[in-house]
Amino acid sequence: MASAAAPAEAFFLDAAPGRRFCLFFPPAGPCRGAVLYVHPFAEEMNRARHMAAVQARALAQQGYGVLLLDLHGCGDSSGDFGDARWDTWKADLALGAAWLRQRLGAPLTLWGLRLGALLALDAVRDAAFPVARVLLWQPVQKGSTYLTQFLRLRTAGAMLDGSGAADAPPSGTDALRSALRAGETLEVAGYDLAPDLAAAIDALAPLEALAPACPALWFEALRGAGQAPPAAAAHAQEAWRQQGVALATHALPCPTFWITPEVDASAAWLEATTAAVCEEVAAHAD
Amino acid sequence: MYLDEVKTILIDVLGLGAAGQRLQADSALLGSLPELDSMAVVSLIGALEEHFGIVVSDDDISASTFETLGSLTDFVAAKLAA
């Protein structure tokens, strides 16, 4: 049975530039592995924060040491969101991975949610630090599509506050992309989006081309019990299998907690993730 | 004709639960549902695009589209008929 978990440890890691806020959930009992959480983008990070913490605690009770690290310019880490860059974020992951290696000396699972999943996969591709497997929660399919949806928050915001008048600043995504290409930093839904970061997200390879060199656990949230996973996800999963990725897929009904926090209804999702993480290690222990 | 499908998607995306079942064609969305913030609007559009296989343009994101459940359903029907 699971031992009582030690309380989470909050601290800062020195990084470049500034420092990163970390929340570490130490493993209860003998350590079975290390997990580094890669949070999603902008406001999705805040909305998913509670679910991430609950999942981290559940994994800690099963013997995993889990590190929740706020990337540069996010959460309680130093820097403004407008200072954030894709490569700095990957360096932050390397920093978190090094800390976990030193603390636990255990194989690392990179656990990414939404755009965090793409960041995790991009980091695995760089191979700057060893990753034993990835755990993907609702991975974003394509960086460029995600960027369009993020820019759309501005269009939607203009509609909601009734400022979509003719003299309002342009809010269509084409105009916003042009502004970014011209080097302008854009404020979207309260977040300053730097042109460099937008360009990096825009240029990301699609999920199907990001097959990792390690085993992968992939969770897709369905809107209802009878729903099939999105065709794009199924397509990418098939591409990965053809490339020989050891892939375990899970699709189950779960509210979109990165948009609408609704934790109670997501217990099945949390339990399925914990079970999959533990099962996979048992299978690989032979 | 698509009202129930749109309503189900709306309930799921906004996390309205049982309370959402009371929504009808003339139920106001914009300004009446606190859950309908900008993230929910973008997510709702994405869910509608995926479910119905339609493409929503920036110009479609207007108050007239999101005024009521009925206006949103009419919008979907018009896209499907186009």
Side-chain angles (χ1 to χ4, degrees):
Chain A
M1 282 307 293
S3 324
E9 302 166 17
F11 58 94
F12 285 93
L13 274 181
D14 286 327
R19 53 187 200 158
R20 305 292 174 265
F21 177 74
C22 294
L23 199 56
F24 178 62
F25 295 79
C31 179
R32 297 169 71 177
V35 180
L36 176 59
Y37 176 59
V38 191
H39 63 70
F41 191 68
E43 186 58 21
E44 289 186 7
M45 174 209 186
N46 292 324
R47 301 211 176 170
R49 189 184 285 274
H50 186 72
M51 273 287 278
V54 175
Q55 183 68 71
R57 197 169 291 118
L59 289 172
Q61 279 167 354
Q62 297 297 326
Y64 292 88
V66 187
L67 184 64
L68 308 188
L69 180 150
D70 291 359
L71 299 168
H72 184 225
C74 304
D76 293 315
S77 286
S78 54
D80 294 324
F81 195 80
D83 301 328
R85 298 292 181 271
W86 192 256
D87 287 340
T88 314
W89 284 352
K90 285 199 283 187
D92 287 350
L93 297 187
L95 182 74
W99 185 88
L100 281 166
R101 197 157 54 237
Q102 193 171 32
R103 169 79 180 244
L104 302 172
L108 175 68
T109 298
L110 265 187
W111 160 35
L113 170 60
R114 301 276 293 143
L115 192 68
L118 287 192
L119 183 62
L121 290 166
D122 199 26
V124 169
R125 197 165 59 160
D126 292 351
F129 55 91
V131 178
R133 68 174 162 177
V134 289
L135 164 61
L136 310 172
W137 269 8
Q138 196 75 8
V140 161
Q141 301 294 333
K142 203 161 187 274
S144 56
T145 309
Y146 184 79
L147 180 67
T148 300
Q149 287 175 349
F150 184 69
L151 295 175
R152 237 179 206 183
L153 291 173
R154 202 157 124 156
T155 315
M159 173 188 79
L160 289 168
D161 66 19
S163 68
D167 57 348
S171 61
T173 48
D174 286 342
L176 297 175
R177 275 176 187 273
S178 298
L180 285 167
R181 273 195 298 272
E184 207 178 304
T185 292
L186 289 181
E187 201 219 287
V188 180
Y191 291 84
D192 284 335
L193 176 64
D196 288 3
L197 179 58
I201 294 170
D202 215 13
L204 282 176
L207 203 45
E208 67 206 56
L210 285 173
C214 61
L217 298 171
W218 182 328
F219 280 77
E220 283 287 328
L222 307 179
R223 278 190 291 102
Q227 294 284 325
H235 174 73
Q237 290 170 355
E238 181 54 32
W240 284 22
R241 288 204 172 95
Q242 283 179 6
Q243 291 168 70
V245 178
L247 174 65
T249 58
H250 301 259
L252 60 156
C254 179
T256 51
F257 55 85
W258 53 94
I259 295 164
T260 319
E262 197 186 10
V263 172
D264 291 348
S266 313
W269 176 273
L270 294 164
E271 283 162 17
T273 298
T274 304
V277 168
C278 296
E279 191 179 288
E280 191 79 1
V281 159
H284 284 251
D286 298 335
Chain B
M1 161 167 143
Y2 300 109
L3 188 90
D4 285 343
E5 284 174 75
V6 172
K7 181 167 145 179
T8 300
I9 291 170
L10 186 73
I11 290 170
D12 290 343
V13 170
L14 302 190
L16 299 176
Q21 294 297 341
R22 287 197 291 272
L23 290 173
Q24 296 174 337
D26 61 354
S27 301
L29 305 180
L30 209 58
S32 295
L33 294 176
E35 293 88 352
L36 195 65
D37 62 9
S38 57
M39 281 177 78
V41 168
V42 172
S43 178
L44 180 60
I45 291 168
L48 292 172
E49 286 181 326
E50 190 184 285
H51 182 86
F52 291 105
I54 56 176
V55 177
V56 177
S57 73
D58 294 333
D59 293 338
D60 296 325
I61 306 173
S62 69
S64 57
T65 303
F66 289 89
E67 193 177 1
T68 63
L69 177 57
S71 69
L72 187 59
T73 304
D74 290 346
F75 165 75
V76 168
K79 281 278 169 193
L80 285 168

